[in-house]
Amino acid sequence: MITYHIDALDIHAHVYRIKLTIAKPHSLQRVSLPTWIPGSYMVREFSRHLFGLQAQQGARTLSVVQIDKASWDIPCPGRGALTLSYCVYAFDPSVRAAFLGAQRGFFNGPSLFLEAHGHSDQVHQVQLTDLPPTWGVATALAPLNIDDKGRGIYQAANYDELIDHPVELGTFWRGRFTAYGVPHELIVTGALPDFDGYRLLQDTQTICEAQIDFWHTDQKPPFEHYVFLLNAVDEGLGGLEHRNSTALIASRRDLPQQGREDLSEGYLG
């Protein structure tokens, strides 16, 4: 079992703290951070934002040797679990990396999750509990033990699955619909008070059903649920697709408004 504990350490300094526990480390355990993110295959250099990496095995502090820009070796003389703790500076508001501020948090796995070499095919768990008290969690990761805000423990079958699920943190609007029997969620952060969530749900459902009709003649998409994570901002547009979720950015003024029947050019876009 590989476990991560994510702590919103300092929302004003934009710093996450991560604790990684490897139950049965190798005698020389290598860890590394990806330089890319699924769906956007360009070099991103996520490791430049990682700092303060420390290693412990029981009561013993271990040395950490950096071998290149994104990889570290830890000699583990004992048989106990290896615990790594480190921080990540997160102030990238795009859909590709990690962000943490006073109002919300967001991250993609490659930004935060060190990979434990030799253990990538094991089950990986993520604990998301050390957050501001009003914040919730939204993600397509499989929940293992969560509360009504989504805070708690999530699980992935392996490292590749883990890093292909972005996570939204904060206070947000949540809506649901079903397309051909598959539950879909729409998470919207930063919308204006007159945002028409019902209209957005209806129109998104129509689009999803049309896509399923086109690509899957048996009307069975290759996932059991799907999540849209939409961050509404003053100005912006973009998205990044993952295996059963999408991270999106749009202008909040382009979202549908309550009491307005016509379609704005921005909303059509």
Side-chain angles (χ1 to χ4, degrees), residues 1-212:
M1 180 74 70
I2 306 298
T3 62
Y4 302 84
H5 184 278
I6 309 298
D7 176 8
L9 178 65
D10 192 331
I11 59 176
H12 301 293
H14 318 294
V15 175
Y16 288 105
R17 179 170 56 196
I18 299 94
K19 183 171 74 174
L20 163 61
T21 302
I22 305 169
K24 296 181 179 180
H26 298 304
S27 58
L28 182 63
Q29 181 61 59
R30 178 165 296 182
V31 296
S32 64
L33 205 62
T35 59
W36 51 269
I37 176 174
S40 181
Y41 301 100
M42 297 176 62
V43 173
R44 301 292 178 186
E45 306 292 12
F46 296 120
S47 62
R48 72 188 190 277
H49 297 305
L50 187 151
F51 63 96
L53 178 58
Q54 297 178 326
Q56 195 133 4
Q57 193 172 33
R60 178 185 299 176
T61 298
L62 305 180
S63 62
V64 178
V65 180
Q66 186 164 5
I67 58 173
D68 59 35
K69 62 183 178 181
S71 303
W72 296 261
D73 279 346
I74 303 99
C76 300
R79 295 185 177 181
L82 170 64
T83 299
L84 304 178
S85 62
Y86 56 97
C87 292
V88 171
Y89 176 70
F91 199 53
D92 185 335
S94 76
V95 296
R96 296 180 297 270
F99 178 86
L100 182 63
Q103 303 301 319
R104 69 180 284 264
F106 173 84
F107 63 84
N108 280 288
S111 304
L112 264 60
F113 296 136
L114 282 170
E115 179 179 6
H117 289 219
H119 305 276
S120 302
D121 291 334
Q122 294 181 20
V123 171
H124 287 56
Q125 289 186 356
V126 180
Q127 183 173 347
L128 290 158
T129 53
D130 288 343
L131 306 171
T134 61
W135 283 18
V137 177
T139 179
L141 272 170
L144 189 64
N145 183 15
I146 61 173
D147 62 17
D148 57 354
K149 289 182 176 289
R151 301 158 69 108
I153 301 173
Y154 293 84
Q155 185 166 289
N158 51 53
Y159 183 79
D160 284 348
E161 181 178 305
L162 174 71
I163 64 171
D164 206 5
H165 290 82
V167 177
E168 178 74 21
L169 309 170
T171 57
F172 42 74
W173 179 90
R174 186 193 300 265
R176 296 180 174 91
F177 64 88
T178 300
Y180 289 121
V182 177
H184 288 63
E185 279 190 310
L186 245 170
I187 307 299
V188 183
T189 303
L192 294 171
D194 63 351
F195 160 60
D196 190 346
Y198 179 71
R199 176 66 178 274
L200 185 61
L201 282 176
Q202 282 187 311
D203 293 340
T204 307
Q205 179 179 5
T206 300
I207 293 170
C208 289
E209 289 176 345
Q211 291 290 311
I212 293 170

